Structures are given as structure tokens and as C-alpha cells.
């Protein structure tokens, strides 16, 4: 129906496995790409050498197109050190109380430098580069496009869609409020940018039509099966981007406790959480989230809090403590299936075909 993105990128199905920083692997991305979708690496937390290594590992497994995703952030951060000290005291006390051996540390750097990551991405030269949390500069966009890389921006509102369309992005992925993981929001307060996908898709398409009528719009948020992919396409999406649906695959790097908790995730317990990273993200409300409730005002923002909670999250994953782990997921997480990625792609496309035939 809307073949523009699929044709341009050279994939078979209108299906993108979402880049998920910390959860995607070369094995996952390659399996999806081999099966005809677009596999993606979430590289937002990776240093440049690791970006190059993951891209090379993916290429060793598939010759098909895949994507790499980064967070658009300033190169350097100067967190409020008083807030950092308060967070360390609180987190260390929590780990002690919970019997977790780890303690917080001051990292050498709060996050990888974006300009270095971007240079590695250009060198890795994936078919698709996607971005969240901000807008590229016109020069950064041009450099990527000059290399033949298809650039996809993330938008959570019509205004953010317009911003990427005016910049000249090749496509925009609209992230509905249902979506798992961090909000990509960059023009608004995250609370004010919680637009559901059914409302956002037509609004984003109208906004894009004003300056870039042919720009494909990709749908993300709460899509767990082929019927929902078709529904997004009926609303005008050129493809669907599924994150949570792929977390249950054996190729995903999600911790065992996280994978175990997803099928039992009740929709009303899947909420917006700031206390793991300092940035709004959707995931399972658990013991940690409840313990930190009301503390956000005294804690530092992203990426400082994200770096400070890393030892806890690592230790909790190793100890099988899902109740202390950032269990990111979309609102429909309970529909997750623990199938190998290639099988999941086949099942999704069977469902998509069956839903299309049922409408004939
Ligand atoms: C565990 C997890 C990590 C994510 N990390 C990223 C990321 O690094 N970059 C990005 O653009 N989106 C990220 N997302 C959001 C996805 O791109 C997408 O918007 C979302 O998964 C769609 O909702 P769904 O999870 O209900 O399918 C992440 C989502 C999840 C569940």
C-alpha cells in the first residue's frame, strides 16, 4: 500500500525491529534483516569502537540492509553535583537494603560523546540511521545523506514531525504514547507529548504533507502483531516499528528476569518512569520505581542518573531481580512471544496477510 520506505531501503516487509539501546544485538538485527524486515542496532549507549564492532558483527551475519540508532545529545554534560551526591546516597542505601553488593560510581564520562558516535556511524555506513531525543543539524543530515544513508528522525508530536520534515529527513518514525523505552520527545515536556498512535499518525501525516508530502511516516507504539501493523498502514504508515515484540526473542539482550516478567505485564502497571535514567521512559512499575517515587525532584537528570543507576541495573539483572531492573516495555507487552526473531517475523507477516484478506 505505502511501498515507498520498503522500496527505498531495499527490504521485503514493512516491518522494522526497533533499535533498543541495551537490548538489541547483532544477532537480533541480522536475523530480522535476513527474514526480510529491517533489523536495527540501538547504539545510543555505545562508545564509537563498540558501534563499529556491532555493525561489523551484524554485517558478518547478513548482507541485507540494517539500521543504527543514536540519541542526539550535547557532547558534554555538567550535572548538578549536589544532585549527583544525593542520588548516590539514595541508591547506595537502596542497594544495601536490598542485599545488592554493587555501589554507585562516578563514571569517567556521563555518556559517549555524540559527535564521536556520529563519526563512527558514518564510518559504519549502515543503510539506515535513525535518531531520537533531538534534531540533527542540517550539515550532519547532509553528510549522512551524501553517503547514501537513509535518515529517519523520531517524533512524538505533529510539531516534531514537521521539524524533521523541514530539515529534510528521509522518513520520520512517530512514537505513540504506548511505546516502550525512552520517549523521543525533544520539543516539549514529555508529559505534554503523550499522544496515542491512532491520533498521532494522521496528525503527523498532515504535518509532513505541508512541506514533504512524499516523506514516509513509520508507526511505533504498542504494535505487537500483524493486525496492528496493518491497522497502522491503513492509517497511512509506510511501515511499523516494533520494539517490545522483539524483546522476548532469544537473540535479544534483555535480562532473563525482564523476559520472564513481560508476558505477565498488566497494562495498568506499564507506566512512564524517570527514576532509572532521569528521562521519561515507559516500562514496568516495580519495587524500585515505587521506592523512588517522589524523589525525582532531588535527583539529577539524564544522562547522569542513567550512569549512576547502571551498577544497580547490572547487578539486579545478574541476580534475577526484575523488581529492581529497568524493565522497559510498551503498553501491550503482555502480548509478547518468545519466538526466535526469524520465526516472529514470519508469524507477524502471516498475521498481517490474514488481516488484509479478512478486510477484502
Ligand atoms: C527496551 C527498549 C529500548 C528502546 N531503546 C530505543 C533506542 O535506543 N532508540 C530509539 O530510537 N528507540 C528506542 N526504543 C523505542 C522504540 O524505538 C519504539 O518507539 C518502541 O519500542 C515502540 O513501542 P513498542 O515497544 O510498544 O513496540 C526502545 C524501546 C524499548 C522497549
Amino acid at each position: 500500500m505505502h511501498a515507498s520506505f520498503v522500496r527505498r531501503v531495499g527490504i521485503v516487509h514493512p516491518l522494522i525491529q526497533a533499535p533498543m539501546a541495551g537490548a538489541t544485538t547483532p544477532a537480533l538485527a541480522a536475523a530480522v534483516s535476513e527474514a526480510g524486515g529491517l533489523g536495527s542496532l540501538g547504539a545510543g549507549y555505545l562508545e564509537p569502537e563498540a558501534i563499529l564492532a556491532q555493525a561489523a558483527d551484524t554485517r558478518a551475519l547478513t548482507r541485507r540492509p540494517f539500521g543504527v540508532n543514536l540519541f542526539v545529545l550535547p557532547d558534554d554534560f555538567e550535572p548538578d553535583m549536589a544532585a549527583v551526591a544525593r542520588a548516590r546516597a539514595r541508591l547506595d542505601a537502596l542497594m544495601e537494603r536490598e542485599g545488592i553488593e554493587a555501589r554507585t560510581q562516578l563514571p569517567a564520562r556521563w555518556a559517549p560523546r555524540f559527535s564521536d558516535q556520529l563519526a563512527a556511524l558514518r564510518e559504519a555506513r549502515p543503510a539506515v540511521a535513525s535518531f531520537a531525543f533531538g534534531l540533527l543539524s542540517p550539515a550532519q543530515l547532509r553528510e549522512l545523506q551524501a553517503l547514501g544513508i537513509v535518515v529517519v528522525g523520531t517524533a512524538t508530536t505533529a510539531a516534531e514531525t514537521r521539524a524533521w520534515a523541514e530539515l529534510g529527513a528521509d522518513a520520520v518514525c512517530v512514537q505513540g504514547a504506548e511505546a516502550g523505552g525512552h520517549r523521543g520527545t525533544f520539543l516539549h515536556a514529555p508529559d505534554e507529548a503523550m499522544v496515542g498512535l491512532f491520533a498521532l499518525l494522521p496528525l503527523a501525516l498532515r504535518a509532513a504533507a505541508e512541506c514533504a508530502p512524499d516523506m514516509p511516516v513509520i508507526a511505533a507504539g504498542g504494535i505487537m502483531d500483524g493486525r496492528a501493523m496493518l491497522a497502522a498502514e491503513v492509517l497511512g504508515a509506510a511501515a511499523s516499528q516494533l520494539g517490545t515484540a522483539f524483546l522476548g526473542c532469544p537473540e535479544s539482550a534483555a535480562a532473563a528476569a525482564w523476559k520472564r516478567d513481560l508476558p505477565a505485564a498488566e497494562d495498568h502497571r506499564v507506566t512512564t518512569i524517570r527514576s532509572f535514567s532521569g528521562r521519561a521512559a515507559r516500562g514496568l512499575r516495580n519495587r524500585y520505581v515505587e521506592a523512588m517515587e517522589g524523589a525525582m525532584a532531588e535527583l539529577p537528570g539524564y544522562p547522569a542518573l542513567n550512569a549512576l543507576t547502571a551498577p544497580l541495573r547490572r547487578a539486579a539483572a545478574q541476580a534475577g531481580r526484575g523488581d529492581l531492573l529497568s524493565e522497559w516495555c510498551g503498553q501491550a507487552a503482555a502480548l509478547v512471544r518468545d519466538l526466535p526473531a526469524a520465526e516472529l517475523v514470519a508469524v507477524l507477516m502471516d498475521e498481517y496477510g490474514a488481516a488484509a484478506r479478512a478486510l477484502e
Side-chain angles (χ1 to χ4, degrees), residues 207-303:
E210 288 163 14
C211 55
D214 298 326
M215 186 189 71
V217 171
I218 297 156
I223 302 176
M224 299 296 289
D225 59 26
R227 292 169 308 177
M229 288 173 57
L230 185 73
E233 218 172 286
V234 169
L235 282 175
S240 294
Q241 177 160 309
L242 284 64
T244 305
F246 285 97
L247 283 175
C249 297
E251 296 94 336
S252 111
W258 182 4
K259 287 185 179 175
R260 187 194 59 220
D261 290 343
L262 288 175
E266 292 179 285
D267 42 5
H268 67 278
R269 304 271 305 167
V270 181
T271 58
T272 312
I273 301 162
R274 280 189 186 71
S275 51
F276 278 113
S277 71
R279 222 189 132 94
R282 188 175 289 290
L284 267 177
R285 186 181 161 81
N286 60 12
R287 186 177 172 81
Y288 172 87
V289 175
E290 283 166 5
M292 298 299 273
E293 225 144 42
M296 267 324 288
E298 64 176 66
L299 301 178
Y302 187 95

Side-chain angles (χ1 to χ4, degrees), residues 18-23 42-45 69-71 130-133 154 173-176 178-182 220-224 241-245 247 258 282 328-333:
M20 296 184 279
Y45 300 146
N69 173 272
L70 293 177
F71 301 139
S130 64
F131 296 91
F133 297 5
T154 303
C173 177
V174 295
Q175 186 189 39
E178 304 90 336
H182 282 99
I223 302 176
M224 299 296 289
Q241 177 160 309
L242 284 64
T244 305
L247 283 175
W258 182 4
R282 188 175 289 290
W328 305 135
C329 60
Q331 286 178 329

Side-chain angles (χ1 to χ4, degrees), residues 159-216:
E160 289 178 350
T161 308
R162 194 175 302 114
W164 275 108
E166 282 172 357
L167 185 71
D170 297 298
V172 169
C173 177
V174 295
Q175 186 189 39
E178 304 90 336
H182 282 99
R183 305 293 303 146
T185 308
F186 60 94
L187 286 182
H188 326 272
D191 289 349
E192 291 168 4
M194 293 302 245
V195 187
L197 189 58
F198 258 49
L200 182 55
L201 262 176
L203 289 170
L205 282 159
R206 190 176 64 175
E210 288 163 14
C211 55
D214 298 326
M215 186 189 71

